[in-house]
Structures are given as C-alpha cells and as structure tokens.
Amino acid sequence: MLKEKIEKHLLEVQKPSRYIGGEVGSIIKDKSRIDVRFAFCFPDTYDIGMSHLGMKILYSLTNERENYWCERCFAPGEDFEAVMRENDIPLYALESLDPIKDFDFIGFTMQYELSYTNVLNMLDLAGIPIYAKDRTDELTQIVIAGGPCVCNPEPLADFFDIFILGEGEEVNLEVIDLYADMKKQGASRLDFLRKAAQIEGVYVPQFYTFSYKPDGTIEKMTVAEGAPEIIRKRIIRDMDSSYYPKNFVVPFTEIVQDRASVEVLRGCIRGCRFCQAGFIYRPFREKHADTVVNETKCLCENTGYDEVSLASLSTSDHSEIDPMLTKLLDYTVSERINLSLPSLRVDNFSESLLEKIKKVRKSGLTFAAEGGTQRLRDVINKNVSEEEIMNTCRIAFEGGYSAVKLYFMMGLPTETDEDIVGIAELANRIIDLFYSIENRPKGRGVQISISCATFVPKPFTPFQFEPQDTREMIEHKQKLLLDSVKTKKIKVSYHDPNVSQLEVVLAKGDRRLCDVIYTAWKKGCKFDSWEEHYRYDKWLEAFKDCGIDTAFYANRRFEYDEILPWDHLDYLVTKEFLIRENKTAHQSKTTPNCRLRCSGCGVNKKVGRECF
C-alpha cells in the first residue's frame, strides 16, 4: 500500500510530519459516500502553505458538504521529492494518502509568481499531464486555480482548465455542484468546461486565443462561441454572514505563522498606486467588532492556540478598531493569549493604540513609509506626510520603544537619486528625534531598520503601465543608499533585483510565457522564491531558448491604448480609472482615501451599492 511505502521512508527526510497527515482538526471521510474529491494544492512547502488563511477557509467550507471531500497537498521538499521519484511514490493528499491523480479536482492557490514552476513539478509528481491539451476528454482531473496571481493568469493558461477570479467561497461550490451533476450525466470534460464558463468568476482559457502584432503587442483576442467576452471576478458582499471556520488543522510541526488567524476586513481604502492587493480586493468590507471577537474566541478554544493574528491589508483602518481591540484584549489578556496586530498605518497611529499594542507586543514597531521624500510619497499616493511619520515615531519612543523598522520601495516611477538619499536623511531625522525626547527609553540606543524592496509594477494598479528599473539602475540606487548611511544606528536590507525582474515578467506577461515556464522547469527550476534554489542562469537560458526578451515585459512602458494580457478580466476597477491615476501620479498629485471622497474607480457601480 502507498501508506506503508510512505512511512518506510519518512525517517530519511527532514520534518517527516509534513508528509503523513493525521493532525488534530484534519477531516477524514468515508470514501464510499463521496461524490466529488478536491485536492487543495499549495505550490510551496507545508510550513508555508499551512499558514495560508484562504486555504483554511476553503478547506473547511468545502468539507461542510457531506458528499464532498477536500484534502490538502503541498510541494514536497527536495529531499522527500527525491525519495518519491526513486520509490515511485506519486504526489498524494494528506488526509487519505491517496494519489491526487485519482481526484476530480486538482486545485492550486496562486499567491506568488515565483511558485509557477512548482505547479508544473507537482503535476508531474502526481502523474497528471502538465499541458491541459494533453489530458483526456474524461470528466476527471480538472486542474483549477485561484488566488491573487490569476488576475493575470495568461503565463499559466496552457496548464489549467479553469481559473477562479476573485473570492472563492461561493463560486468554488457552484463549480463543484455543476461538476457533480454533470458527472452523474456522464458528460465530457469539454461539456463541463462550456457550462462552467457561464458561471460568473470562471475563466476557461482554452476558449480564448490571442494574435500578436509585429512589435510583439497583442493585436486581438478571439473568443469561442458561447464563452463570455469579459469575465468578472466574484466577491462576498457581507463579511459578517460569510463563512468562517470554527476550527483549523493544527500542525504537528512548527509552521511560518503558527497561530490562529481571524480576518477582520477585506479590501483597502487607501489607493496606494503600487499595491495590487489594494485594488483587486476592492470593495472595502469589514466585519463587525463583535463578529471578530466571537470568531477569535471560537478558534482559540477549538485549536488551543495561545496566539491570534488579525488579518487584513490595513487593520488600523477598521472603523471600530478601538472598541474591537478593547473587547479582544479583555479576552486575550485574561486567557493569556498573545494578540498580533499587523498592518498598522502611520497616519492613524495614536497613543491609545500604542497602549493597546504594548499589552500584546514587546518588540519593535514596523511602518511602511515607501518613499524617502514627500514628492515621491505623493507620486505613489501614500498619503502620509513626514510630520505623521515623525509623530508616530515620537509616540513610539515616548511609549518605551527604541527600535523602529521602516519599509521602502526602490525603483518607483519618477524616482531620482534625491529620493534615495532621502531615505537615509529621513532615518537620520528619526534618530535625532529619539535623542531629543526627554522621557525616551534610558540605557538603550535607537535602532532604525530600513528594508527596501524593488518595485514590481503589477496588473490592475495605476502603475501597471510603468517599466521596472533595470538591474543596473537598481544596483546603482542600492549602492547610493548604502553610501548615504553614515551611522551603525541604521541598518539597511534590500532585495535581489534579478528575482524582482523575473517577478515582473511573470506578473505582466502573456500566454507566450507558458513555454518559458515549462522550459525553465525542465532545466531544473523550482522553489524560485527560495534564495538557495533560485536559478537565474537557467531562467535566462529558458527565455533565450523560447526567443523571449525579458525587457519587452519588464522594462518598457505599456501604452494606455494597448491591449493588455488581462484586459478581458474584470476586477471591478476600470481601466479608465487606472489611466487617470497614472497621469495624476506623474503630476505628483494625491487622491484622497475612499472614506474621505469617492475617487470613481468604478467598483461601487458594478456591485450596485456605495462603498461607504
């Protein structure tokens, strides 16, 4: 049996508990009573995938149906993959230890572009044809994907049968219900895909073909008869009544975020022009404070976790943040549960909020300044002034903190050397502020950590039209920043520009990249987001072999009237709005956040209600 074969080799690998299942909270069902089996695949290791909130929600939701069984599957580490290939162990699901090639659905959540080769590797390990065109016409092995990366799924289009746009709580079950009905009727794969394409939020890539101009841009898209020309994403309208699990699978081994997690809101009011999540998760929706408190209590009591995190894009933007935290702290402090508060904003950080944070967090504080000068912060619509940054640091220092971490981006549109030097100058002014405060922490020196990510223009943002800086430009700016820092009280870290270049190519690419991804995988590329596994040289070989110039996707400006690879997908924010915001950015002007004034992004008209 497969189970015996797996157990025989577990002690040969690191963290064998990743591969055996049986955790508290995992769901086991009687296979004889199951109509549809769904393998929920995360294209990274168990440690990372088990931290993902979306998987926890959809896993529990699907298993609420007695006749559906959703099981988990993760990318094996290099050591266990070698064992699997040497001993003919196919990729399997953790609950049943059955091969996922025998399942009805093989579903992937696509969170990061650099996990694309892992998808191919997992399909290969499972014994499932990698290209969709090579799968049989039988109604089985439907390879499906959702997640933020499918807002431009074209670089993966040849490998998937279906993409789910937007939020999956409702549409996933609609697709599974349709499948169950058509499976009973003896329908073919093609029959099912034709009907599935009629469900809002479902994109079937084989019904869409592209032709290209001599300059490489898209000339037109041709749609098969009966398929919709535009596919609109799905959203959950009411967060308070939406499904949320009462229990999580509790791992045997430590994972990246080993805690309970409660979602407090979706979307974002801010409109930072670089932030893809802030646009593709619109409209802004929040849970009532009592809902958050009740879900927190339920999860902690059922899982035994002594730490809970509030999940959102900007937790402190919740309209009931103070009463919500007061109620949560009444519970967590009395039960000795640690409360984690990520996603804090500089411009709504207060002394009362700090007092609450101090009860649950003793380490340094982290804020996103993004730009080193006010001009650049206005370009990206950060809507944060230096006065607010300094006031936030003053509150932190007076409250007993001596360490602050600031996030910045490098290579932003219109950025100059003056903006880079401005990062170091801002950090120096924060140091001066620390020593000017009489009631600062005594006996400790100040420490400012600067983290600089390379800017990656992403689809469905006002900066989707922008080119990325070349590697040489980024390396010049990284050196300039290091040369501008004159004190050990400031520590600087930054990203590898070669990684960011691949990320933007895959984010903004079209269907011609499918063969590049396949070629790179055949050359040994996988776990590309892991520094020890990333093979930049092999990726360059793959692009060359396929006749693709990375600069076409990464380093040229996309024109406003150009047909973009994702133009047939509707994430509710209009292209006209994104163009308008792009022009406003180049005028160094800001747009107020959604609570202050509607900016006309188009979401409220499409969902049939005002956002606020």
Side-chain angles (χ1 to χ4, degrees), residues 273 369-386 389 409 411-422 426 429 463 477 584-590:
R273 292 171 179 138
E370 311 295 3
T373 63
Q374 191 59 50
R375 183 199 69 82
L376 192 58
R377 287 192 292 274
D378 290 345
V379 168
I380 64 177
N381 205 46
K382 189 64 186 176
N383 277 320
V384 169
S385 67
E386 180 163 328
I389 295 172
M409 275 188 290
L412 288 162
T414 79
E415 186 179 72
T416 65
D417 285 358
E418 181 181 345
D419 299 308
I420 299 300
V421 174
L426 176 60
R429 287 193 288 274
F463 288 162
K477 292 176 180 180
T584 305
H586 283 272
Q587 297 168 0
S588 301
K589 293 181 179 178
T590 61

Side-chain angles (χ1 to χ4, degrees), residues 179-246:
Y179 178 92
D181 289 341
M182 298 193 71
K183 183 180 179 182
K184 291 176 183 176
Q185 300 168 18
S188 68
R189 175 189 298 268
L190 186 58
D191 290 337
F192 165 70
L193 292 177
R194 283 180 177 141
K195 287 208 170 181
Q198 305 306 314
I199 298 174
E200 185 178 56
V202 173
Y203 173 44
V204 181
Q206 75 177 62
F207 297 150
Y208 302 80
T209 56
F210 294 84
S211 57
Y212 302 91
K213 299 177 182 178
D215 65 1
T217 60
I218 296 172
E219 182 174 37
K220 68 175 180 177
M221 179 188 73
T222 304
V223 184
E225 185 178 354
E229 291 192 11
I230 301 293
I231 304 92
R232 177 176 292 186
K233 77 162 186 174
R234 291 290 289 270
I235 63 167
I236 300 299
R237 292 173 178 267
D238 181 5
M239 292 297 291
D240 282 314
S241 63
S242 67
Y243 177 85
Y244 204 76
K246 295 180 174 62

Side-chain angles (χ1 to χ4, degrees), residues 112-177:
Y112 186 35
E113 289 84 0
L114 297 191
S115 67
Y116 288 0
T117 50
N118 278 11
V119 171
L120 274 57
N121 201 50
M122 291 175 74
L123 290 174
D124 183 63
L125 280 168
I128 296 169
I130 290 174
Y131 282 94
K133 62 181 174 60
D134 295 330
R135 296 173 201 139
T136 69
D137 198 37
E138 294 179 18
L139 191 50
T140 185
Q141 294 183 351
I142 302 298
V143 183
I144 185 171
C149 287
V150 305
C151 71
N152 177 26
E154 293 308 316
L156 291 171
D158 289 350
F159 312 122
F160 282 90
D161 298 299
I162 288 175
F163 293 105
I164 299 292
L165 309 188
E167 297 158 3
E169 286 96 331
E170 295 172 348
V171 64
N172 278 26
L173 289 177
E174 291 172 17
V175 170
I176 297 174
D177 288 343

Side-chain angles (χ1 to χ4, degrees), residues 351-457:
E351 292 179 12
S352 64
L353 184 56
L354 179 67
E355 287 304 309
K356 292 180 173 64
I357 292 170
K358 286 169 66 176
K359 294 180 181 180
V360 299
R361 190 194 309 193
K362 306 301 181 186
S363 58
L365 294 170
T366 300
F367 300 101
E370 311 295 3
T373 63
Q374 191 59 50
R375 183 199 69 82
L376 192 58
R377 287 192 292 274
D378 290 345
V379 168
I380 64 177
N381 205 46
K382 189 64 186 176
N383 277 320
V384 169
S385 67
E386 180 163 328
E387 180 182 358
E388 289 169 325
I389 295 172
M390 301 302 284
N391 185 56
T392 294
C393 292
R394 178 189 60 78
I395 293 172
F397 295 149
E398 290 178 345
Y401 289 84
S402 60
V404 172
K405 184 172 184 178
L406 297 174
Y407 281 125
F408 294 90
M409 275 188 290
M410 189 173 282
L412 288 162
T414 79
E415 186 179 72
T416 65
D417 285 358
E418 181 181 345
D419 299 308
I420 299 300
V421 174
I423 296 174
E425 292 175 344
L426 176 60
N428 281 324
R429 287 193 288 274
I430 294 173
I431 291 173
D432 293 340
L433 171 69
F434 177 83
Y435 288 108
S436 72
I437 296 174
E438 291 186 6
N439 59 334
R440 67 180 181 271
K442 303 303 181 184
R444 285 183 286 170
V446 65
Q447 186 65 59
I448 309 299
S449 297
I450 293 173
S451 176
C452 282
T454 301
F455 166 65
V456 176

Side-chain angles (χ1 to χ4, degrees), residues 256-272:
V256 174
Q257 294 180 10
D258 207 4
R259 61 181 76 99
S261 185
V262 176
E263 188 179 24
V264 299
L265 59 86
R266 285 186 191 173
C268 185
I269 65 174
R270 296 292 171 171
C272 299

Side-chain angles (χ1 to χ4, degrees), residues 23 71 83 130 156 203 218 262 267 297 322 329 344 359 377 405 420 460 464 488 508 534 551:
E23 309 100 317
E71 303 182 51
V83 167
I130 290 174
L156 291 171
Y203 173 44
I218 296 172
V262 176
K297 290 179 179 180
D322 279 335
L329 287 170
L344 298 175
K359 294 180 181 180
R377 287 192 292 274
K405 184 172 184 178
I420 299 300
F460 294 102
Q464 67 180 8
K488 293 182 179 179
K508 295 177 66 175
Y534 184 50

